[in-house]
Amino acid sequence: MKNFDVVIIGGGPSGSSLGYMLLTSGVSVCIIEKKSFPRFKLCGGLLTEKTVEIIEDIYNEPFRNFNQKTSDVAVYMDSSKIIDTDTKSTFYLVERMDFDKYLIDKYKKSGGTLMEKSYIHKIDMNTRFIETNNNEKINFKILVGADGANSRTRKFINSKYRPNGFCIESTFQNTRLKNKINLFFNLNNSGYTWIFPKGNSCTVGIGEPLAKNQNIVEQFDEFISDNVPYSLSSKKGAFIPYGKYVKTPAKNNILLLGDAAGLVDPITGEGIYFALKSAQLAKDSIMCTKHNNYMDTDIIYNQKIKIIHKKIEDGNFLNKIVFNRKLSKRAIFKLLRGKSDLFSYICKNIISNYNTSYRYFAIKYLLGKNKNDTHIK
């Protein structure tokens, strides 16, 4: 029988980063991962400045594990280009297979226990006992679900929650688009389509909330036919949260992180920042209760996670008044057309850094009250 203070299900960015932070703080950790590294993960792989900042804060070193970085962004509405500018915000492009291995290796090099090709076969929450499919028997004090949008751990907290969005992704070989991020919006659909440069290849994908009478595969194929005259790799799809989070993501000292807790920005679809931020909040909650045998860790975590929930709610607010209404969407993109300063303000102060909220950014931009923003004159 093995004994650990914390058992983490899932070795993605949130799980590996939490494991690393706990290990270096004197907490015993085991990560259980159903696959082996390096493994494929469907993800656009775009990291914002705030995400890189949190990585550097966790690992206390400069982040260099990216394919390339760029500040050039083009935005299209119904195939018509409305913005093409240097945003002055740096976006980092990574391959998730390499990025996730980079983070899990940090955890392993710190002495962390990793069980690959493993999953929970049997669990007793009363005795805090786990048996894996490999017949490993483990006792734990805290269980963490970092096992993605289709989390199995989540059923111990909320068995009714289901992710409400879907994304599809593929790649193609190309060097012509190597320095520019391309975003495509459509008046008739929520979400957006993207083409992200990755060195000598590009990732192309689509993500949006699920709705009735909607065929996202057909939308994706139509976009490819109109915009990507290259041979693509096979399409892959995955469910994602889209502004729908688990309202109480911790119970009975089980904590959910990242996608498992539904923590995704409902405007951009960015999930890695919230994954890492929730890992930091979980670490703080666990360390607050270590002296008391981790009593009430879940209560503390549920309070701390509200800072993320507030950002998601602000994004949902903007979605409802702009992106879910055809006339409002037409108006906002008409307003953006050719307005490089406004778009750069949005990139710097919301998308890249959360300096202001989705709810109030327009007022702050117009009034010019954000003293820290170099884009306001």
Side-chain angles (χ1 to χ4, degrees):
M1 181 75 70
K2 297 180 179 180
N3 297 284
F4 295 94
D5 293 325
V6 179
V7 171
I8 301 171
I9 311 301
S14 63
S16 58
S17 296
L18 175 60
Y20 174 86
M21 288 186 285
L22 292 175
L23 277 175
T24 55
S25 299
V27 176
S28 61
V29 184
C30 174
I31 293 180
I32 298 175
E33 167 62 43
K34 66 180 178 180
K35 297 182 181 179
S36 59
F37 292 91
R39 84 283 194 268
F40 173 81
K41 171 67 177 179
L42 193 151
C43 177
L46 185 147
L47 307 184
T48 55
E49 291 174 354
K50 63 182 181 291
T51 305
V52 170
E53 181 179 346
I54 205 169
I55 293 169
E56 294 180 342
D57 182 51
I58 291 171
Y59 295 98
N60 195 32
E61 65 180 26
F63 176 67
R64 298 190 178 93
N65 191 257
F66 53 87
N67 290 60
Q68 68 183 87
K69 58 183 179 180
T70 183
S71 57
D72 291 337
V73 180
V75 180
Y76 297 79
M77 170 54 72
D78 288 335
S79 298
S80 174
K81 185 185 291 186
I82 62 171
I83 292 286
D84 190 349
T85 188
D86 181 345
T87 64
K88 304 298 190 297
S89 297
T90 304
F91 299 97
Y92 301 79
L93 287 308
V94 302
E95 292 289 356
R96 281 294 302 273
M97 185 176 290
D98 300 330
F99 178 68
D100 287 14
K101 187 176 187 304
Y102 164 79
L103 296 183
I104 202 70
D105 284 348
K106 293 280 187 186
Y107 166 77
K108 289 165 62 178
K109 288 175 182 177
S110 297
T113 299
L114 173 65
M115 296 182 180
E116 297 177 279
K117 295 184 178 180
S118 298
Y119 56 87
I120 296 176
H121 173 68
K122 180 181 179 181
I123 185 167
D124 188 326
M125 290 305 302
N126 292 321
T127 61
R128 303 276 162 173
F129 164 83
I130 284 174
E131 182 176 345
T132 74
N133 59 305
N134 299 320
N135 297 318
E136 294 277 4
K137 296 178 174 60
I138 307 168
N139 276 126
F140 64 92
K141 296 175 181 177
I142 293 176
L143 181 66
V144 176
D147 44 348
N150 294 317
S151 171
R152 297 177 65 185
T153 313
R154 189 171 54 228
K155 68 180 181 180
F156 295 106
I157 293 177
N158 187 330
S159 60
K160 296 181 180 180
Y161 176 94
R162 297 290 184 276
N164 61 328
F166 196 77
C167 62
I168 301 173
E169 189 175 274
S170 186
T171 60
F172 61 91
Q173 298 299 310
N174 182 261
T175 58
R176 184 174 62 85
L177 302 174
K178 65 181 180 179
N179 293 318
K180 193 179 297 292
I181 292 167
N182 291 271
L183 307 176
F184 300 82
F185 295 85
N186 189 298
L187 282 176
N188 297 315
N189 302 299
S190 300
Y192 66 96
T193 308
W194 65 85
I195 298 177
F196 292 161
K198 301 284 185 70
N200 292 326
S201 67
C202 289
T203 297
V204 55
I206 185 172
E208 59 184 56
L210 294 170
K212 293 180 179 179
N213 303 317
Q214 172 184 314
N215 190 329
I216 190 171
V217 176
E218 189 176 280
Q219 289 175 229
F220 184 70
D221 289 342
E222 183 178 339
F223 174 81
I224 295 299
S225 177
D226 293 340
N227 297 279
V228 185
Y230 307 100
S231 298
L232 270 66
S233 63
S234 59
K235 297 191 293 278
K236 298 183 183 297
F239 289 99
I240 55 171
Y242 216 104
K244 177 185 177 184
Y245 57 84
V246 180
K247 293 184 178 180
T248 306
K251 179 181 178 182
N252 195 25
N253 271 10
I254 305 172
L255 282 59
L256 300 178
L257 308 182
D259 282 8
L263 305 178
V264 171
D265 187 302
I267 301 296
T268 66
E270 182 183 14
I272 295 177
Y273 172 78
F274 285 152
L276 296 172
K277 185 64 178 178
S278 62
Q280 282 189 320
L281 297 176
K283 180 258 185 180
D284 291 344
S285 303
I286 290 167
M287 297 310 298
C288 279
T289 57
K290 181 183 177 184
H291 69 285
N292 196 27
N293 199 32
Y294 306 107
M295 184 176 294
D296 296 333
T297 303
D298 50 353
I299 295 174
I300 295 174
Y301 181 69
N302 281 332
Q303 287 299 314
K304 288 182 177 292
I305 206 72
K306 289 180 180 179
I307 190 173
I308 295 179
H309 290 173
K310 177 63 166 60
K311 288 181 169 58
I312 295 174
E313 284 299 331
D314 286 344
N316 285 338
F317 171 82
L318 184 62
N319 248 333
K320 288 177 183 177
I321 66 171
V322 176
F323 294 105
N324 289 341
R325 300 177 182 179
K326 191 170 181 177
L327 289 177
S328 298
K329 186 187 287 188
R330 187 187 301 276
I332 192 67
F333 281 99
K334 185 177 180 180
L335 175 65
L336 275 174
R337 184 180 294 276
K339 302 289 187 6
S340 296
D341 284 350
L342 174 56
F343 184 69
S344 294
Y345 172 88
I346 293 169
C347 286
K348 177 60 71 176
N349 289 284
I350 310 177
I351 297 172
S352 291
N353 291 290
Y354 284 150
N355 290 336
T356 188
S357 73
Y358 287 118
R359 193 179 294 260
Y360 302 116
F361 82 90
I363 296 173
K364 287 194 174 185
Y365 177 79
L366 292 173
L367 296 179
K369 289 184 177 181
N370 190 338
K371 296 179 181 179
N372 295 322
D373 181 17
T374 59
H375 292 290
I376 296 181
K377 303 298 184 182

